[in-house]
Amino acid sequence: MAVNYEYYRCFYYVAKYKNLTRAAAAMMSSQPNVTRVMHNLEHELGCRLIIRSNRGVSLTEEGERLYRHVAAAFAHLQMGEELVSRGGGPQTGSVYIGASEAALHGLLLDVLRRFHQMYPAVRLKIRNDTALRVLQALRGGQIDFAVVTLPPSPLERHLKRTDLKPFRDLLAGGPSFAELAERPLALEELARHPLISLARDSATFAFYSGFYTEHGLDFDPDVEVATTDLLLPMIENGLGLGFVPEDFARGALEDGCIVRILLKETIPTRHICLIEDTQGSLSLAARTLRQMLQAARAESDTQKFAENAGKG
């Protein structure tokens, strides 16, 4: 579908400012012209993108989905302009990143690989720790940004959260627990079996503590380990059951080293997210990496939309 670029430009500013007058001012245009362009874009796409009210403009579900892609595209264009004006890209410098293990395995390593291939002279300073300690480093100005998994809890006003990629955990056991895979279990039934978890100072422990509390139960694992790399071997060797990210466990499942155990309760979706300090400033190299992470988010949204369409 060949939609005029100016239509998307207009939509970008309308969605960004949630106000037609401010969007018109940013484009050095008029409000009637902005309104006309928005009508044309909605007609071209065959759906409603915005809702006007006395309080301004709000986005429909389709509008929110489109804005994520348009915003990422405009960010790339702006970055491209800056790269050209500065000679093509960040040739030197360092980027300081804090990352939890699940975020590294689930998204960040692939983005870092591509970034390093494009800008080999930029030094990547990576701090791998629990999400809580990584956030402490961000607050202390020791890193440029954090890529972690966090429960949907409030952050300080100056910290900005952007969800990059959704993922789910599965409950797994070693082959000796194969009989438990024959039927879905209630969460309270797990108390009869040993449970393995990441340590108490991890975001994963906090997540499952909340999950258990919502169902009137206490999360009290028998074994606590420091990393997911240690969690999976303990499960494989029959020392207990554990919650593991699906992507991380896929190989062990296919090889028959672990079995999936179904729960009657639905494990909530988790997210790998980007946390930034809006009071700080980023180098060109750090901003370039941030844009690549945001582009990975758009790719994740597209893949999820395609999967859902296929199921329909």
Side-chain angles (χ1 to χ4, degrees):
M1 181 182 297
V3 177
N4 191 315
Y5 164 78
E6 286 299 316
Y7 289 4
Y8 286 124
R9 178 170 175 264
C10 180
F11 171 71
Y12 170 75
Y13 284 110
V14 170
K16 178 179 180 180
Y17 293 117
K18 303 292 193 299
N19 184 285
L20 296 176
T21 302
R22 290 186 64 189
M27 297 176 62
M28 289 187 257
S29 183
S30 64
Q31 182 175 328
N33 187 54
V34 169
T35 301
R36 178 186 61 80
V37 170
M38 287 304 304
H39 282 315
N40 290 346
L41 179 59
E42 290 178 327
H43 176 75
E44 289 285 343
L45 297 179
C47 63
R48 193 172 185 184
L49 299 173
I50 64 172
I51 299 173
R52 299 179 61 179
S53 68
N54 293 333
R55 291 177 292 179
V57 171
S58 61
L59 298 181
T60 64
E61 182 179 347
E62 292 81 4
E64 290 281 3
R65 187 182 302 159
L66 179 63
Y67 180 62
R68 288 196 291 268
H69 293 277
V70 171
F74 268 77
H76 276 291
L77 288 173
Q78 292 165 358
M79 182 63 67
E81 292 174 354
E82 185 171 356
L83 295 180
V84 169
S85 67
R86 296 197 181 197
Q91 303 301 324
T92 59
S94 299
V95 184
Y96 296 82
I97 311 149
S100 63
E101 188 184 15
L104 275 168
H105 286 292
L107 175 69
L108 186 57
L109 283 176
D110 181 60
V111 176
L112 292 178
R113 174 184 56 79
R114 286 185 278 143
F115 180 88
H116 183 64
Q117 289 173 345
M118 295 172 65
Y119 311 109
V122 175
R123 300 290 297 274
L124 295 172
K125 306 285 189 175
I126 303 170
R127 177 171 181 165
N128 174 217
D129 211 327
T130 66
L132 300 181
R133 292 199 185 103
V134 166
L135 287 184
Q136 289 176 356
L138 179 63
R139 296 184 184 102
Q142 300 167 24
I143 56 176
D144 292 316
F145 47 74
V147 184
V148 293
T149 60
L150 283 178
S153 55
L155 295 170
E156 294 93 324
R157 183 171 299 178
H158 61 91
L159 295 184
K160 176 184 176 184
R161 169 179 175 148
T162 304
D163 288 342
L164 298 175
K165 181 182 178 182
F167 71 96
R168 283 189 177 274
D169 289 340
L170 59 84
L171 178 62
S176 61
F177 288 95
E179 72 278 1
L180 298 182
E182 295 175 0
R183 64 176 180 85
L185 298 179
L187 202 58
E188 61 183 356
E189 294 182 76
L190 297 185
R192 305 172 192 168
H193 306 280
L195 188 64
I196 307 171
S197 169
L198 293 181
R200 291 176 184 270
D201 61 350
S202 68
T204 296
F205 191 100
F207 175 83
Y208 281 103
S209 292
F211 178 49
Y212 270 61
T213 299
E214 288 177 2
H215 293 87
L217 301 168
D218 292 327
F219 185 63
D220 186 24
D222 300 85
V223 181
E224 296 178 27
V225 298
T227 69
T228 308
D229 286 331
L230 292 175
L231 179 65
L232 201 53
M234 288 196 171
I235 295 173
E236 291 176 358
N237 283 282
L239 299 181
L241 308 177
F243 295 97
V244 188
E246 287 185 343
D247 290 344
F248 193 80
R250 184 171 291 113
L253 274 174
E254 293 174 351
D255 293 340
C257 299
I258 60 174
V259 295
R260 181 195 294 262
I261 298 169
L262 299 178
L263 278 178
K264 292 181 179 179
E265 296 83 358
T266 300
I267 302 174
T269 300
R270 303 173 67 190
H271 285 84
I272 297 171
C273 52
L274 170 69
I275 309 294
E276 307 171 70
D277 187 343
T278 58
Q279 295 177 343
S281 60
L282 296 178
S283 66
L284 175 60
R287 279 182 285 144
T288 303
L289 178 56
R290 181 185 62 184
Q291 296 305 326
M292 291 182 68
L293 286 166
Q294 291 172 336
R297 175 199 182 194
E299 292 169 6
S300 175
D301 287 342
T302 301
Q303 181 180 3
K304 182 179 178 182
F305 179 78
E307 290 173 354
N308 290 338
K311 292 176 182 177

